[in-house]
């Protein structure tokens, strides 16, 4: 026994095919094609833009996490962390914790001749730091040995070194924030340091403002009785807020526990707001294209009033007539949506090839590194974005068919045939 589709679906699909083929009423065919093209371009634009924003967020997040810790345990009021070795043992006993390393951090000034730059100086133990920092983990053992206690050597971000005009082996003057009290008044504490190497984290903010030195040298320079905190690396950075909350409850009120999302909360919140706004704005483009289907269907209903009247005289109900035109509009929306989805995914997956080609063709750079932190156009299509886009496009296309289809179902057969 063969299965046949309801005649409403078959007639609706025939209208789509004849409209696209242009065998009847070329103007209606043109309007129908423009509607489907508009839906396709709107859906493709939504997928591409949201994929770029996802990729941008992921790229910046990964580069941040190569430098900053997933979780930090710090002393209260910026003081040294009391009993830090015991806190370290408690942290290491947690199943989710992969590494723990002490650190000291403070703002300072680096001076070379007339050039003066404000930097964040972080004191680390290179061997332990490799367990919590992907940046240091990539260093060879010889590179880690460049920071030796008592030598006051520093490793600078490559952009910071470029701005100061220094390279490995050059000397700099480091000015600590707290001065020394002398009979002549408060004098700034100065220390000559030597540039041991230059690192490239791939994140402009850190490459232009971070200097690493040995933990013991940083403690002496900033007059700290011990590490100011512990940097913690966990298995899944996305679970950092939950794990940080659990650690805070276990370690007690004597310490403060903060995760990486707190340190960059404003930036990530801004990206999420921008992403929502872009979704709304580009959805309006899809809505405009979808409601062009109203024009197509109204013109189709006007053109086929005689056919509608004949179907009514043959026993078709108003609901069947409405179903025919709903099918036509919905199928047009489906074709446009699927086409746009395919185009959008193809573009999103090949964006790293397409964008450089466009930059060379136009002679411009879309992402200046000084502004956007990264210089290439990343893309990360996610099902959580694509599925809502497809659903919204199909829903808008379906809504656009209701009024013209209802008007078609209200056609009076007698009046329609009288004018044939």
């Amino acid at each position: 026994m063969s299965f046949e589709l309801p005649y409403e679906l078959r007639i609706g699909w025939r209208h789509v095919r004849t409209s696209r083929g242009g065998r009847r009423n070329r103007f209606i065919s043109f309007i129908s094609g423009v509607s489907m093209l508009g839906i396709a371009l709107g859906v493709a634009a939504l997928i591409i833009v949201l994929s770029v924003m996802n990729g941008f967020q992921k790229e910046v997040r990964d580069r941040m996490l190569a430098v900053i810790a997933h979780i930090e345990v710090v002393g209260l009021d910026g003081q040294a962390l009391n009993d830090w070795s015991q806190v370290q043992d408690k942290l290491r006993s947690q199943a989710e914790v992969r590494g723990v390393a002490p650190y000291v951090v403070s703002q300072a000034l680096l001076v070379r001749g007339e050039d003066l730059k404000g930097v964040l100086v972080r004191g680390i133990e290179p061997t332990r730091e490799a367990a919590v920092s992907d940046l240091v983990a990539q260093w060879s053992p010889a590179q880690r040995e460049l920071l030796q206690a008592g030598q006051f050597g520093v490793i600078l971000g490559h952009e910071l070194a470029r701005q100061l005009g220094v390279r490995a082996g050059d000397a700099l003057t480091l000015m600590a924030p707290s001065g020394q009290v002398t009979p002549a008044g408060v004098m700034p504490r100065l220390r000559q340091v030597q540039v041991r190497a230059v690192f490239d984290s791939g994140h402009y903010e850190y490459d232009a403002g971070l200097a690493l030195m040995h933990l013991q040298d940083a403690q002496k320079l900033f007059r700290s009785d011990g590490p100011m905190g512990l940097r913690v690396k966990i298995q899944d950075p996305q679970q950092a807020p939950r794990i940080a909350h659990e650690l805070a409850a276990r370690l007690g009120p004597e310490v403060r526990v903060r995760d990486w999302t707190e340190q960059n909360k404003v930036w990530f919140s801004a990206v999420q707001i921008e992403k929502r706004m872009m979704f709304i704005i580009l959805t309006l483009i899809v809505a405009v294209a979808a409601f062009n289907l109203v024009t197509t269907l109204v013109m189709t209903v006007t053109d086929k009033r005689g056919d509608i009247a004949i179907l009514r005289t043959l026993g078709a109900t108003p609901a069947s007539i409405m179903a025919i035109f709903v099918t036509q509009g919905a199928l047009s929306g489906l074709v446009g949506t699927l086409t746009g989805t395919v185009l959008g995914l193809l573009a999103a997956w090949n964006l790293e090839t397409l964008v450089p080609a466009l930059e060379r063709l136009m002679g411009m750079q879309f992402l200046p590194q000084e502004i956007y932190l990264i210089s290439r156009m990343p893309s990360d299509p996610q099902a959580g974005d694509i599925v809502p886009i497809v659903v919204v496009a199909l829903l808008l296309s379906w809504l656009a068919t209701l009024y013209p289809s209802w008007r078609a179902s209200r056609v009076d057969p007698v009046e329609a045939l009288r004018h044939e």
Side-chain angles (χ1 to χ4, degrees):
M1 182 176 63
S2 61
F3 173 76
E4 289 189 3
L5 291 173
Y7 76 91
E8 295 93 343
L9 297 182
R10 285 186 277 124
I11 295 176
W13 172 239
R14 185 184 304 165
H15 285 177
V16 174
R17 288 189 294 113
T18 55
S19 176
R20 292 180 64 195
R23 289 194 293 268
R24 294 183 61 186
N25 202 326
R26 294 183 180 275
F27 187 66
I28 296 177
S29 173
F30 173 75
I31 297 297
S32 178
V34 169
S35 300
M36 287 188 284
L37 179 62
I39 293 173
L41 292 179
V43 169
L46 258 173
I47 291 174
I48 293 171
V49 169
L50 294 185
S51 297
V52 168
M53 297 192 75
N54 289 334
F56 181 79
Q57 184 176 9
K58 181 178 182 297
E59 189 78 14
V60 174
R61 183 186 66 231
D62 291 347
R63 295 189 182 192
M64 282 182 176
L65 292 177
V67 182
I68 66 175
H70 296 169
I71 295 174
E72 289 184 351
V73 180
V74 298
L76 299 178
D77 300 325
Q79 300 299 318
L81 188 62
N82 296 325
D83 300 324
W84 68 271
S85 58
Q86 296 182 12
V87 176
Q88 179 177 247
D89 293 338
K90 291 181 180 179
L91 292 172
R92 286 177 173 171
S93 65
Q94 294 293 111
E96 300 92 344
V97 175
R98 296 176 58 186
V100 182
Y103 75 97
V104 168
V105 66
S106 179
Q107 298 284 345
L109 293 176
L110 282 179
V111 183
R112 178 178 170 82
E114 296 182 354
D115 294 326
L116 186 146
K117 297 292 181 183
V119 297
L120 185 70
V121 179
R122 181 186 297 162
I124 62 172
E125 288 188 3
T127 302
R128 293 185 178 182
E129 186 70 12
V132 299
S133 170
D134 293 339
L135 175 66
V136 179
Q138 296 171 0
W139 295 356
S140 65
Q143 288 175 307
R144 296 175 194 171
E145 292 178 0
L146 293 174
L147 292 181
Q148 295 288 339
Q151 296 184 0
F152 287 92
V154 293
I155 297 180
L156 306 180
H158 78 94
E159 181 63 22
L160 177 60
R162 186 191 66 79
Q163 293 176 6
L164 291 171
V166 297
R167 56 185 179 180
D170 291 342
L172 292 170
T173 300
L174 191 149
M175 186 181 300
S178 57
Q180 294 176 326
V181 179
T182 67
V186 178
M187 301 294 292
R189 287 189 296 113
L190 306 177
R191 178 77 196 195
Q192 190 175 54
V193 297
Q194 186 180 46
V195 179
R196 295 294 188 184
V198 174
F199 68 81
D200 183 0
S201 68
H203 193 296
Y204 182 83
E205 179 180 352
Y206 298 111
D207 290 339
L210 181 63
L212 302 176
M213 69 174 3
H214 197 277
L215 178 67
Q216 295 182 19
D217 294 342
Q219 288 180 195
K220 293 178 182 178
L221 186 63
F222 301 119
R223 295 182 175 178
S224 176
D225 297 331
M228 294 180 180
L230 296 172
R231 289 160 51 82
V232 182
K233 185 175 183 178
I234 59 178
Q235 294 179 359
D236 184 3
Q238 301 302 319
Q239 300 298 319
R242 177 185 62 82
I243 296 176
H245 181 74
E246 295 175 355
L247 291 175
R250 181 176 181 185
L251 296 176
E254 292 81 12
V255 299
R256 181 187 172 196
V257 182
R258 60 192 183 194
D259 62 88
W260 65 272
T261 61
E262 292 182 39
Q263 300 178 53
N264 302 278
K265 188 174 183 178
V266 174
W267 187 88
F268 284 105
S269 297
V271 171
Q272 289 299 323
I273 292 173
E274 290 175 2
K275 185 176 176 182
R276 294 190 192 102
M277 291 305 300
M278 290 303 298
F279 183 87
I280 294 172
I281 293 171
L282 292 176
T283 299
L284 294 177
I285 298 176
V286 179
V288 171
F291 282 99
N292 280 339
L293 292 173
V294 175
T295 303
T296 303
L297 290 178
V298 168
M299 296 177 66
T300 303
V301 169
T302 303
D303 181 62
K304 297 184 180 298
R305 285 174 62 88
D307 297 340
I308 295 171
I310 293 173
L311 287 174
R312 289 296 306 276
T313 59
L314 293 175
T317 64
S320 296
I321 299 299
M322 186 172 180
I324 290 172
F325 289 96
V326 168
T327 300
Q328 178 183 350
L331 287 176
S332 297
L334 178 62
V335 172
T337 301
L338 293 181
T339 303
T341 302
V342 172
L343 291 177
L345 289 176
L346 288 176
W349 286 330
N350 296 279
L351 207 59
E352 293 187 8
T353 302
L354 295 174
V355 171
L358 288 175
E359 289 179 337
R360 289 192 298 269
L361 181 64
M362 302 176 65
M364 61 178 295
Q365 188 177 13
F366 293 152
L367 288 178
Q369 190 177 28
E370 295 81 1
I371 300 175
Y372 295 101
L373 308 179
I374 58 177
S375 58
R376 66 183 186 87
M377 188 79 74
S379 179
D380 182 25
Q382 294 182 2
D385 293 325
I386 296 172
V387 171
I389 291 171
V390 172
V391 171
V392 168
L394 293 176
L395 181 61
L396 290 174
S397 301
W398 177 75
L399 289 175
T401 67
L402 296 182
Y403 176 73
S405 302
W406 177 77
R407 289 302 299 262
S409 70
R410 307 296 294 178
V411 170
D412 185 356
V414 176
E415 291 296 325
L417 291 176
R418 178 180 301 174
H419 294 89
E420 283 295 319

